Amino acid sequence: MTHRELLVRTHSKEECLNITNMVAEAVSQLGKDEGICLIQVPHTTCGITLNEDADPDVIKDILRSLKNLVPDRGNYDHLEGNSPAHIKTSLVGSSVGVILEGGHLLLGRWQGVFLCEFDGPRQRRVWLKII
Amino acid sequence: MTHRELLVRTHSKEECLNITNMVAEAVSQLGKDEGICLIQVPHTTCGITLNEDADPDVIKDILRSLKNLVPDRGNYDHLEGNSPAHIKTSLVGSSVGVILEGGHLLLGRWQGVFLCEFDGPRQRRVWLKII
Amino acid sequence: MTHRELLVRTHSKEECLNITNMVAEAVSQLGKDEGICLIQVPHTTCGITLNEDADPDVIKDILRSLKNLVPDRGNYDHLEGNSPAHIKTSLVGSSVGVILEGGHLLLGRWQGVFLCEFDGPRQRRVWLKII
């Protein structure tokens, strides 16, 4: 196996988990010095995004805003009832590329990596691949 | 030419086409064993997303929800009348990275690759590049 | 340093800057012939997207539509008052992959690269990495 898998436990129906440190540690274990790191979730009801790492209110505002855009109850056909989670996943995205340099993810000063849980709580997987 | 081009015909104004098998076959023909596969559309009124491959209602709900968010008629300046298609493209995205391992795209159990047509029907191109 | 940094000055609170030529020039200076180019912004209140390069009204419609989706004033907790900018950044995305071939970015006929400023005016950075 040439990629790396992280396991992440979420605790609410919806939350954005800051996984920056977890990802950074796994990346350093991969031992590559430079390249591009792809961070991918193999799920269809949670996404991955880069956003502000400093004030946790930012990520709360993002979740609330997404809920306003894609209301829990609406005219959905999918019988499992989690269509809003699927829709938010396609809005936020399932993978993100980040530059790697000097063995570290190259993030902006305020950037962190977040797993966006839209249909938890569950155990989620995050895959990392560097090339 | 070191990338691969797939041609995809769409049949409606808006639809999400499941191109997972098509992409998988082309990837296997590229003969690379591991890396990152970039799936890119060279268009500005259709996007590419990963989402649920099992129940087609999910993708219908995504399209309907996007239409609610970006209504067909609104206060748009672009005279061609397809601004909603451009906007949805930037929401969903024009390219997505997927890990490649053992010669196969590494997707989650429920994940499929979808071309999101927002201004069809047309012939669309999908580009694949593995590194 | 194996990536390249571009400096971009934005002039309004919100604008989408066409940085296609700037990116193309920097890519050609990197001297690589083929691969994948990752275009990443190290910010949390501006994003990066591919969309129509021809009629500037398209990008204006995108900005206006995003403002409708995420209103300037709303129920936001983040005290800095720029939560809408953070939310739009996660909708549009902070990095995008583009195929490189023959030393050039492989874009569709109408595709351009846009920096989406949501909390300007500021000086912004755009990072490029080719693998």
Side-chain angles (χ1 to χ4, degrees), chain B residues 23-35 99-106 130:
Chain B
V23 170
E25 197 186 341
V27 162
S28 72
Q29 287 169 12
L30 283 167
K32 295 222 183 169
D33 198 54
E34 61 103 12
I99 298 171
L100 183 84
E101 194 157 289
H104 299 286
L105 289 185
L106 213 56
I130 296 173

Side-chain angles (χ1 to χ4, degrees), chain A residues 50 108 111, chain C residues 39-43 46-48 93-95 115 125-127:
Chain A
L50 306 181
Q111 274 182 326
Chain C
I39 309 169
Q40 181 187 343
V41 286
H43 306 288
C46 79
I48 198 98
S94 303
S95 70
L115 180 133
R125 290 176 288 157
V126 178
W127 291 342

Side-chain angles (χ1 to χ4, degrees), chain C residues 91-105:
Chain C
L91 290 177
V92 158
S94 303
S95 70
V96 65
V98 178
I99 299 171
L100 183 84
E101 194 157 289
H104 300 286
L105 289 185

Side-chain angles (χ1 to χ4, degrees), chain A residues 2-89:
Chain A
T2 63
H3 70 285
R4 192 169 191 89
E5 177 173 283
L6 306 178
L7 297 179
V8 180
R9 173 143 292 282
T10 62
H11 297 90
S12 320
K13 170 88 170 139
E14 299 191 20
E15 69 183 304
C16 279
L17 265 174
N18 189 332
I19 58 171
T20 315
N21 292 341
M22 212 175 172
V23 171
E25 196 186 341
V27 162
S28 71
Q29 286 168 12
L30 283 167
K32 295 222 183 168
D33 199 56
E34 60 103 11
I36 291 174
C37 179
L38 186 72
I39 309 169
Q40 180 187 345
V41 286
H43 306 288
T44 57
T45 55
C46 80
I48 199 98
T49 196
L50 306 181
N51 218 299
E52 182 176 321
D53 202 2
D55 176 6
D57 278 344
V58 168
I59 217 73
K60 273 198 262 171
D61 285 342
I62 293 176
L63 277 178
R64 193 189 300 122
S65 183
L66 284 169
K67 194 185 275 289
N68 289 341
L69 293 176
V70 189
D72 288 347
R73 301 192 180 278
N75 184 19
Y76 304 118
D77 285 341
H78 181 48
L79 290 176
E80 279 184 61
N82 60 357
S83 276
H86 288 286
I87 296 159
K88 291 170 188 172
T89 299

Side-chain angles (χ1 to χ4, degrees), chain B residues 47-121:
Chain B
I48 198 99
T49 196
L50 306 181
N51 218 301
E52 182 175 320
D53 201 2
D55 176 6
D57 278 343
V58 169
I59 217 72
K60 273 198 262 171
D61 285 342
I62 293 177
L63 277 179
R64 192 190 301 122
S65 184
L66 284 169
K67 194 185 276 289
N68 289 340
L69 293 176
V70 189
D72 288 348
R73 303 196 178 276
N75 184 18
Y76 304 118
D77 284 342
H78 181 48
L79 291 176
E80 279 184 62
N82 61 355
S83 276
H86 287 287
I87 297 159
K88 292 171 188 171
T89 299
S90 277
L91 290 177
V92 158
S94 303
S95 70
V96 65
V98 178
I99 298 171
L100 183 84
E101 194 157 289
H104 299 286
L105 289 185
L106 213 56
L107 292 169
R109 180 171 175 193
W110 307 108
Q111 276 182 324
V113 183
F114 292 87
L115 180 135
C116 302
E117 173 65 83
F118 299 124
D119 194 29

